[in-house]
Amino acid sequence: MQIFTCPFCGPREETEFHFAAEAGKHRPEPAEEVSDADWADYLYLNDAPKGAAREVWVHATCGEFFVMTRDTVTREITDVTALPGRDG
Amino acid sequence: MSGWRLPSDGGIDRDRPLGFTFDGQPLSGFEGDTLASALLASGPRILGRSFKYHRPRGLWGMGGEEPNAILDVTGPEGVTPNVRATQMRLRDGMALASVNAAPDAARDRFGIMDLAHRFLPAGFYYKTFMAMGWMRWEPMIRRMAGLGRVDPGHHPAADAVPMNARCDLLVIGAGPAGLAAARAAAGQGRAVWLVDEAGAVGGSLRWRGGQIDGGDWRAFASETVTAVEAAGGRVMTDTTLWGAFDHGLFAAWQRREGQPDRHWRIRAANVVLAAGAIERPLWFANNDLPGVMSAEAALHYLRLYGAVAGRNIVLATGNDASYPVAAALAEAGARVTLADARADGPAAPEGVELLRGARLTKAKGRREVGGAVVDGGHVDADTVLVSGGYTPSVHLWCQAGGKLDWNAGADALVPRPGTCGMAVAGAANGGFGLQRALEEGHRAGTGTGPAPRAATTGDWGLVPMRPDPTLKGRQWLDPQNDVTLKDVKLAAQEGYRSVEHLKRYTTLGMATDQGRSANFAGLAAMSAITGLSIPETGTTTYRPPFTPVPLKTIAGLRRGELFNPVKRLALEPLHRNQGARFREYGGWLRPSVYGDGEESTLAQAEAKAARETVGLYDASPLGKIEVIGPGAAELLDFCGYIRMSTLKTGRARYGFMLSETGIVHDDGVMFRLAEDRFIVSASSSHVASVRMILEEARQDRFDPRRSFIHDVTANWVTITLTGPRAGDLAHAAGLPDQMLALPHMGVAEGLWNGHPVRVARVSFTGDLSYEISVPARHGTALHARLEAARAAHKGRWIGLESVMILRAEKGFILVGKDTDGLTMPHDLGWGGPREKRKDEYFGRRSLFTPEACRHDRRQLVGLVTDGPDPLPVGAHLVARDGPRRSLGFVTSSYVSPTLKRPIALALLEAGGSRMGEALTAFQLGATRSVQVTPACAFDPEGGRLNG
């Protein structure tokens, strides 16, 4: 049972969290100019890195989305950062 | 029957005899006995049968490694299946029964399986029954397989609350190494938890004894316990640390006298693994006979229980650790022949006949040991004790991700330093002998100064002992699952050379003991065959649990109602008073119908009443997600399919929320209460996910300071009045005039009887409806007011079953029931925004893919059919003529009491262009003829919305 640190609530057990998205995967916009193939890539193709990974997770109990940097092999978590928001 | 009890000695209370039965035979033991010690001292040797050949099996070990003595135990609380006899304390009146044997272990009729062993090699099942049709044989094989029998009527208490704990140092194993580690750490003021599987601290000291720091080991142990407790730590015996998990979580199973077992989740800043080692067997012909036992276990039973394994004993070994065993047994009065594989070793213990360089090649006897062959000569024996070396218990180390190295001195795989966050000490580290255990433990507990001193030093002079493929006769590697040396050879010959393949092909190490005594031999045998070294051959993966843990212990309170608790209505007691029957809908426990009688009949009557007068239902689970702030409208515009920024204050609008794939995720009404304040009325089962869609956009796409999302669903009680007389009832209940006068899709807030109220004129039934919401603490008052006025207006409480009929009559969908994972809004007749909206919104791009633009997409339609019976939900729609291909399926189906005919909704290919078309509904071979209609079957003009 891993312990993740929510930037808002502090350390909590992993069962309170959900994976949300790959970090840094930008929604291609204007979306209507994106080809069908590129849009499908955006929707369905995800990396599954072995080792270092940057991911967006959400703490389901408080609703905080944040970027977590972790190692998928050693399970070590090196950083958690709140999302900057549009104007952050 | 060769085991016997010493007239004195041992840790048992000889003044308190206990009676028990084994396979119906009355026997006796003493207070302090385990099942195993009582059976060894008093009883029969054949305690069970092996899994495949049904060979007789007797006691081998002394703890969780026991592969053979597995019993169904009937005590006062009922039957506990598959108990390892070594791990349960004897109680008066217990009935023990052998497993995998019929009628009992001594007379098992499946013993004839052994005669067929030549025809049942490894892989026999795969080769035979798969080819001949597994399904035909499976029932027979299932009956023969398996161990104990579960008593379905026995529901063991599992009301112990699982505990979470933290400590500075967790010490796993309270033998000499664990004690030294705990003492060193506690001396520095650290909170130490010292945990041991056995009923007392001491580990091997308990039977091997020893002097530490000039005194008896017991003084050292009790000082350690005192020091640990004084420093705020804890000593837990009868507690199995059964799993190491991510981020330093350890799971422990604590057995408590007279109370339910308890489950612990422990997180420690530091961990010392001092789990000891398990003695290996030796490999010779018939090494599985009852009467062949671990030498270490024999000493354990002698010292702790005064139980002697036999009278005429051959002890075969290759190390010094067996010498004290031989000495103790001889002193107890047994005739002992010590067959040491080494040419030189310690002097012969007193009273022991020592054979140097001697090799045990065979155990004689059919049902139990009746003699042995040593160096080709017969030796009289009723018991054969063996020691093939020791395997360090590295399970938790490996579970936590640690790697292993070969240590030739210990003749074992031991933890490779630095590959895991734990410290390892003593026999678990290959550090055999008391002095080494104390030193390693002291160091692991970060002790400074000199380690505790043992009176004896020196190692055990281990020489490698291995299975010998040239030896005649069957040599057992895994006695529980019946894997012999020949099976390993066969596996290698057929290409299953990886240890993981070997394990699965032969089932080596897959029994309930998880190969404690078997794996090393299999590994060594495979390494000899392939010519690879043991470290190159590797080990199978270690996974939790370390020993079988009862599921009830892990589950704890999370059973029955608490397994997945339902959400409950604030007014549930009031609904119960009115005869409501409850059922789960989307995680909420809600009234299905009110009153006695058949549910479908009641639902019909309730739906009819709601159409004729007025129905009242509890709509509290309907989502109430407040979206507040200057950025609220912008956020909702992006997250929703239908624009909300154009909604006027005090009005409601129906909308959809899509996923980014364009699929309908939820539908519902949104209210605008102020310029900067909305309420999203998500479906009751989608509240959490809708909130997350909003939150993700708020935090990732917009300025999170400009909007705020607050789910207040549980804070409000909502009662909906629906029907032609809804307005009259609302008026009679005293609802303010300005709220009564609301237009359709109007919403207003205000004060009513001194508390807030919100009324919305939205309708899920097509009839005039008032949705009245009050803070939950005022729900009872709202209920009372409505109740006082209800009878006069022929109002009737209605359950969810009738609400389903009412909404289906109108063609109103339930997302997830009338839609599936392909349904887009234009499939539901809501193509407008897709064509007209030019701004960006969530899921928009996906509505214009080639797939989304197909003309034969499944679209929502209604169906009419012949006869009085509703169509089966899930029935496939096929063309009258032409190929029998599914064009779609029925999603909702009811009988409408108002229309007096069945109604149905369906998803149908190009449904919108098939109005009036005749189709066939097909399910389970039966067909019905249907005709395609619009989804709305009742009041299509909408005249009833205004009463």
Side-chain angles (χ1 to χ4, degrees), chain B residues 120-176:
Chain B
L120 299 172
F124 167 76
Y125 288 93
Y126 303 128
K127 288 169 184 161
T128 310
F129 294 110
M130 287 301 181
M132 290 166 66
W134 173 251
M135 302 299 271
R136 258 177 57 209
W137 296 99
E138 190 187 358
M140 183 198 82
I141 292 167
R142 287 239 180 275
R143 266 199 307 281
M144 286 183 66
L147 299 172
R149 297 271 173 252
V150 172
D151 172 4
H154 177 217
H155 298 280
D159 46 2
V161 181
M163 300 291 277
N164 290 289
R166 285 182 171 275
C167 57
D168 296 336
L169 179 68
L170 175 66
V171 180
I172 303 165

Side-chain angles (χ1 to χ4, degrees), chain B residues 368-588:
Chain B
E368 59 178 278
V369 172
V373 178
V374 178
D375 287 341
H378 173 86
V379 180
D380 271 344
D382 56 29
T383 302
V384 173
L385 302 181
V386 294
S387 177
Y390 291 82
T391 301
S393 290
V394 295
H395 306 72
L396 292 165
W397 172 271
C398 294
Q399 284 179 25
K403 303 277 182 282
L404 302 175
D405 273 336
W406 179 250
N407 178 327
D411 188 37
L413 289 162
V414 299
R416 181 187 303 164
T419 55
C420 174
M422 297 182 211
V424 199
N429 199 29
F432 301 132
L434 182 53
Q435 185 55 43
R436 250 191 94 182
L438 293 170
E439 278 168 12
E440 289 189 8
H442 185 71
R443 243 188 345 263
T446 64
T448 50
R453 299 296 308 168
T456 53
T457 53
D459 66 11
W460 289 351
L462 289 157
V463 294
M465 308 289 273
R466 298 287 183 269
D468 178 359
T470 62
L471 210 58
K472 277 184 72 175
R474 286 196 280 172
Q475 298 177 56
W476 258 260
L477 304 185
D478 187 328
Q480 192 180 104
N481 266 1
D482 277 331
V483 181
T484 62
L485 187 57
K486 197 184 77 180
D487 293 322
V488 176
K489 280 193 266 185
L490 182 68
Q493 195 181 312
E494 298 193 348
Y496 298 99
R497 292 178 168 222
S498 141
V499 280
E500 298 285 2
H501 288 160
L502 170 69
K503 169 179 166 177
R504 283 154 185 85
Y505 193 59
T506 61
T507 72
L508 175 86
M510 284 171 75
T512 59
D513 63 328
Q514 289 285 287
R516 289 286 184 284
S517 51
N519 280 352
F520 180 79
L523 185 57
M526 185 55 89
S527 119
I529 292 165
T530 58
L532 295 171
S533 67
I534 286 176
E536 282 169 334
T537 307
T539 61
T540 51
T541 308
Y542 291 87
R543 297 186 183 88
F546 174 65
T547 49
V549 180
L551 290 175
K552 63 166 189 180
T553 308
I554 301 172
L557 293 172
R558 285 170 299 160
R559 298 201 305 183
E561 273 194 355
L562 294 179
F563 178 66
N564 187 11
V566 288
K567 297 175 194 159
R568 289 175 177 273
L569 300 172
L571 301 186
E572 182 183 320
L574 300 180
H575 297 309
R576 287 202 187 275
N577 285 345
Q578 280 163 319
R581 275 189 251 163
F582 283 81
R583 220 197 273 179
E584 192 212 309
Y585 296 90
W588 284 84

Side-chain angles (χ1 to χ4, degrees), chain A residues 1-4 13-14 20-21 27 29-36 39 42-44 56 58-66 75-77 83-87, chain B residues 164 166 245-249 265 267 634 638 660-661 691-693 695-706 838 840-846 848-850:
Chain A
M1 181 75 74
Q2 301 176 77
I3 298 218
F4 297 156
E13 292 204 340
E14 65 174 289
R27 189 176 195 265
E29 290 186 17
E32 56 195 314
E33 292 170 18
V34 179
S35 72
D36 290 325
W39 184 250
Y42 167 67
L43 287 182
Y44 301 112
V56 178
V58 57
H59 188 208
T61 50
C62 77
E64 180 82 9
F65 284 78
F66 59 95
R75 305 263 190 241
E76 190 191 1
I77 293 156
L83 292 185
R86 183 176 55 181
D87 303 321
Chain B
N164 290 289
R166 285 182 171 275
F245 299 89
D246 290 331
H247 288 189
L249 178 73
R265 293 151 39 100
R267 289 189 192 270
E634 184 188 25
F638 176 74
E660 189 74 294
T661 54
R691 178 181 156 235
M692 282 305 157
I693 290 175
E695 277 290 358
E696 184 163 15
R698 171 185 162 262
Q699 294 175 40
D700 195 26
R701 187 179 180 90
F702 296 101
D703 180 351
R705 292 163 299 186
R706 285 174 53 81
K838 297 293 172 221
E840 189 55 36
Y841 56 90
F842 197 58
R844 180 182 182 219
R845 177 64 185 84
S846 298
F848 297 94
T849 62

Side-chain angles (χ1 to χ4, degrees), chain B residues 724-784:
Chain B
R725 296 176 74 171
D728 299 340
L729 178 55
H731 177 75
L735 212 64
D737 286 344
Q738 132 252 1
M739 292 182 175
L740 288 170
L742 280 172
H744 176 57
M745 297 306 257
V747 60
E749 292 179 296
L751 276 180
W752 186 36
N753 304 309
H755 61 70
V757 66
R758 184 172 65 240
V759 176
R761 273 282 315 278
V762 294
S763 176
F764 192 38
T765 62
D767 270 323
L768 171 67
S769 298
Y770 288 88
E771 222 176 76
I772 308 170
S773 302
V774 297
R777 63 186 179 284
H778 299 297
T780 314
L782 171 64
H783 188 273

